[in-house]
Amino acid sequence: MTEANVEAVHRKTRQRLLFTGIHLVLYFSFTLNWTSWGTALGTYVGDTWLTGSLLMFVLLILTFIALETVFLMMSRWGAR
Amino acid sequence: MMLRGYFRVVPSALLLLWSDLMFAAGALEGAAERQALNPIAIGMFLLFVALTLYVTWWASKATKTSSTFYNAGGQITGAQNGLAIAGDFMSAASFLGITGLMYVGGFDGLILSLGAFGAWPVFMFLFAKRVRNLGNFTFIDVISQRLDRDPIRLVTAFSTILIVIMYLIAQMVGAGTLIQLLFGLPYEWALLLVSVLVLAYVAFGGMLATTWVQIIKAALLLTGVTLIAGLLLADSGFSFSNLLGKAVVNHPKGEAILGAGAIFSDPVQILTIQVSMLFGTVGLPHILMRLFTVPDMRQAKLSSYYASLFIGYFYIALLVLGFGSIAYVAGSPEFFDGEGKLIGGSNMAAIHVASAMGGDLLTGFMSAVCFATILAVVAGLTLSGAAAISHDVYAEVLKKGKPDPKTELRLTRVSVFLIGLAAVSLGIIFQHENIAFIATIPMVVSASVTFPILFLSLFWSGFTTRGAMYGAGVGLVSSIVLIVLGPQVWVSVLGNGEPIFPYDYPALFTMPASVLVMVIVSLRDRSDRGAVDRENYARLLVRSEFGASETELAESGVAS
């Protein structure tokens, strides 16, 4: 295998593992809701009935989609 | 006081609801009394059946070879495949089970939504491109390019068939119960109907028909939840906060439903659910198989991305439906029987909220969508199981990759028939059994066997066949043993007082054990085959990432 190809594959592998790592940290952070460290998440947001826990759920889903979007864009730039 | 009775549930029964599989088991625990025939639901369902049978007839004309049978000729676009993956994954159980769990415990039900959604980014980052580039019809093609093909195909085909059969039993028992509830059909007739329709889709239309059935079903399901969520928000002045306020007033646990702890209290239990759902979903063979229906690696990545968008949207809509069911069902006496219990159990909360918002028309529509959902999921499973038998075992192991194409296609159709027959028979046999443990097995085995083998084959140069075989053995045996020692078998089936292993879903422990054994045995493997496995990694590395060999890349001037 040529140096250039090996380096390209390694770079992409690092990218894949980095994105997966970020995703897993965020994903498992949801468990905080069931621990004493996540007590603050039970408080209300402003004058609404929306709690930090509910907001976290929605934001996590949106963040995961944003991560995928960035990943796709980086792959496209890499291909160019 | 009366409401307190509505929400009184056994915590262990709630755990059964945590995934689409879990719903099937949970359905057994709920009241499964037959409902009166619902003509609107039946009419809408017949429309769906007519449309999908037409699609199957159209697809059958294009399904003449094994290739088109297994992967629809690789001509599905990324967006279509994304919707089909969503259709394969968003089951009736997700819709009914998660809404039901939120009806009971509010926020805690969302662990299932996040668990199910969290798998898709991992699917895209790690697998979508590399699996598509290295395989043809099944994920087993991918690993057998690197590892010793015969033993690894047999082991992974066995785990695939085990996952498919267990998943099917859970789906069929859940389907029989659900259809009995929604349509008033007898249990056995419901199973026969599901099986006959799925046989027609898969045996004649193969992957092409299955794909379009899943696409149609996903579109219907997304339309349904959008309608209900829209009506709920409209009735709350387009304020989600107002909806939450109504739910708090109606629920006996009050404000506690807006945060964690109403159902689950142990964070380790939450972790076990998250690990099982994420890594179990990523390793499901019928989901991985969908990556081969697109023409290239770019479309494979797009498939995964679109699937995420659709599934993410679905779970956010379920957030509205879940709290909406508390706000609009819990305070309405028409949804409760004489004893003060929710008609049909908590799994019916989603259907009741459809009824509260859209009357008989929306109830009929959502009931028909649930039935369509079952058909789409069972079709995907049946196809995956048939491919494991006819492609992975017969064509690749017995015929060494050179089967007679007509015989292979015939065997595939026979396999579809046999799987259908097994699904109906097992569904009837297990009708009155506690199948919670059967529903747990697919996710845990997938997380502990399929995921580690696929991940290490694609990302670790030192992985060998021997490591894979030992690790798969440890993953499989430890999964079964810990499920047997856990609450679902040790207490619920065998009648013991306390479980020896405290958690229902042991993937948090079995998956690391499996990976550890794979790594240690591979590191200590000094065999000739081990050396070949390591060399194969370097050989396949460029193809897995770029979709072409180094020579092909050099000729096209794309790299090096």
Side-chain angles (χ1 to χ4, degrees):
Chain A
M1 266 201 308
T2 65
E3 286 278 317
N5 280 344
V6 171
E7 179 47 38
V9 174
H10 284 168
R11 183 169 43 78
K12 282 176 172 285
T13 303
R14 282 196 298 273
Q15 193 184 86
R16 290 181 189 288
L17 296 177
L18 175 69
F19 272 85
T20 305
I22 294 170
H23 171 75
L24 290 179
V25 168
L26 291 171
Y27 175 75
F28 286 113
S29 70
F30 198 58
T31 310
L32 285 175
N33 281 292
W34 285 267
T35 68
S36 53
W37 292 314
T39 311
L41 291 166
T43 54
Y44 291 104
V45 178
D47 291 334
T48 69
W49 285 100
L50 196 67
T51 57
S53 298
L54 288 167
L55 194 62
M56 183 184 193
F57 171 79
V58 176
L59 287 179
L60 278 177
I61 287 190
L62 296 178
T63 307
F64 293 163
I65 290 173
L67 264 179
E68 287 188 88
T69 309
V70 173
F71 182 81
L72 261 187
M73 288 167 72
M74 286 177 72
S75 298
R76 197 166 291 180
W77 291 334
R80 281 175 191 165
Chain B
M1 188 66 188
M2 186 176 70
L3 278 177
R4 198 155 294 163
Y6 303 161
F7 294 105
R8 194 178 296 138
V9 260
V10 181
S12 61
L14 295 177
L15 289 175
L16 305 180
L17 293 162
W18 68 268
S19 77
D20 51 344
L21 292 169
M22 294 308 111
F23 167 75
L28 280 182
E29 309 242 334
E33 69 269 26
R34 279 177 61 182
Q35 303 294 297
L37 284 172
N38 182 334
I40 296 174
I42 290 171
M44 289 187 175
F45 176 69
L46 289 177
L47 267 178
F48 172 83
V49 169
L51 180 63
T52 49
L53 285 178
Y54 172 76
V55 166
T56 304
W57 171 76
W58 162 77
S60 69
K61 291 192 287 183
T63 306
K64 301 293 183 198
T65 64
S66 299
S67 169
T68 48
F69 190 93
Y70 295 133
N71 67 7
Q75 293 307 311
I76 306 294
T77 68
Q80 289 168 343
N81 198 36
L83 195 52
I85 290 174
D88 208 352
F89 187 70
M90 300 179 309
S91 58
S94 297
F95 170 63
L96 300 175
I98 292 176
T99 308
L101 196 54
M102 288 184 70
Y103 171 81
V104 171
F107 175 81
D108 276 11
L110 292 176
I111 185 61
L112 312 186
S113 295
L114 194 78
F117 179 72
W120 297 102
V122 174
F123 190 75
M124 181 203 222
F125 299 149
L126 296 181
F127 289 164
K129 188 176 182 180
R130 290 194 175 187
V131 169
R132 173 63 188 78
N133 282 342
L134 291 178
N136 293 319
F137 303 131
T138 67
F139 82 93
I140 301 174
D141 291 335
V142 177
I143 48 181
S144 64
Q145 284 206 36
R146 179 181 168 190
L147 305 178
D148 194 0
R149 47 182 290 153
D150 285 1
I152 204 68
R153 271 192 189 273
L154 286 175
V155 164
T156 42
F158 173 76
S159 75
T160 296
I161 293 166
L162 179 73
I163 289 168
V164 165
I165 292 291
M166 296 292 137
Y167 211 132
L168 268 178
I169 293 174
Q171 284 288 331
M172 293 302 270
V173 173
T177 312
L178 178 65
I179 293 165
Q180 201 173 336
L181 276 168
L182 294 178
F183 291 86
L185 277 179
Y187 181 89
E188 292 80 3
W189 281 102
L191 290 198
L192 267 180
L193 185 59
V194 169
S195 206
V196 166
L197 285 168
V198 167
L199 281 178
Y201 298 150
V202 181
F204 297 107
M207 180 57 97
L208 189 57
T210 303
T211 299
W212 281 100
V213 169
Q214 289 168 342
I215 287 174
I216 294 168
K217 164 254 165 148
L220 290 174
L221 185 58
L222 290 172
T223 305
V225 294
T226 303
L227 266 174
I228 302 173
L231 290 168
L232 283 167
L233 288 174
D235 206 64
S236 305
F238 290 101
S239 163
F240 183 53
S241 178
N242 288 348
L243 185 72
L244 292 175
K246 286 182 192 174
V248 166
V249 171
N250 272 357
H251 202 288
K253 289 188 175 169
E255 295 181 32
I257 60 168
L258 302 181
I263 301 172
F264 304 109
S265 55
D266 181 1
V268 180
Q269 189 174 44
I270 296 295
L271 279 176
T272 63
I273 292 172
Q274 284 191 298
V275 168
S276 298
M277 292 200 74
L278 190 147
F279 296 106
T281 300
V282 170
L284 285 175
H286 64 292
I287 299 286
L288 287 163
M289 195 176 174
R290 291 225 53 89
L291 288 173
F292 306 112
T293 62
V294 292
D296 53 43
M297 57 188 182
R298 184 167 174 274
Q299 295 299 321
K301 278 192 297 185
L302 281 177
S303 303
S304 181
Y305 183 65
Y306 281 113
S308 279
L309 291 181
F310 293 127
I311 295 170
Y313 172 78
F314 175 70
Y315 285 121
I316 287 179
L318 280 196
L319 174 69
V320 179
L321 260 69
F323 284 105
S325 68
I326 303 172
Y328 288 87
V329 174
S332 307
E334 67 265 31
F335 299 118
F336 294 85
D337 62 19
E339 295 174 15
K341 290 179 183 167
L342 189 68
I343 296 170
S346 61
N347 288 330
M348 288 294 280
I351 297 295
H352 293 322
V353 79
S355 182
M357 289 293 105
D360 285 349
L361 194 66
L362 197 52
T363 310
F365 178 73
M366 292 315 296
S367 299
V369 168
C370 287
F371 203 154
T373 292
I374 290 164
L375 292 176
V377 174
V378 173
L381 283 168
T382 305
L383 189 62
S384 175
I389 294 169
S390 57
H391 173 67
D392 293 316
V393 176
Y394 169 76
E396 295 296 329
V397 176
L398 296 178
K399 294 294 175 184
K400 305 295 176 196
K402 292 174 183 164
D404 170 41
K406 284 187 179 170
T407 310
E408 186 184 357
L409 188 58
R410 203 177 307 127
L411 181 64
T412 308
R413 289 188 163 131
V414 171
S415 305
V416 168
F417 177 76
L418 290 176
I419 290 172
L421 194 66
V424 173
S425 311
L426 293 169
I428 292 172
I429 290 169
F430 284 95
Q431 180 183 358
H432 300 295
E433 304 297 324
N434 183 337
I435 61 152
F437 70 97
I438 291 177
T440 306
I441 290 172
M443 283 292 186
V444 177
V445 169
S446 172
S448 310
V449 179
T450 312
F451 174 79
I453 291 182
L454 193 53
F455 176 74
L456 292 175
S457 316
L458 292 173
F459 288 93
W460 185 40
S461 59
F463 193 41
T464 68
T465 305
R466 188 177 292 173
M469 302 293 281
Y470 277 93
V474 167
L476 189 62
V477 171
S478 61
S479 298
I480 304 291
V481 167
L482 290 184
I483 288 171
V484 169
L485 298 179
Q488 291 176 352
V489 177
W490 197 253
V491 177
S492 302
V493 176
L494 300 177
N496 295 299
E498 290 295 321
I500 294 173
F501 178 76
Y503 302 108
D504 287 310
Y505 315 106
L508 176 64
F509 308 97
T510 55
M511 189 185 80
S514 164
V515 171
L516 195 66
V517 170
M518 285 178 190
V519 170
I520 290 172
V521 174
S522 294
L523 286 174
R524 296 178 63 85
D525 186 0
R526 297 284 175 265
S527 66
D528 291 344
R529 179 65 227 185
V532 172
D533 295 336
R534 293 182 192 103
E535 281 171 22
N536 281 346
Y537 180 74
R539 186 173 59 79
L540 293 173
L541 199 57
V542 170
R543 178 177 288 281
S544 73
E545 195 58 60
F546 296 111
S549 68
E550 208 163 24
T551 315
E552 290 164 341
L553 287 174
E555 283 170 0
S556 65
V558 172
S560 30

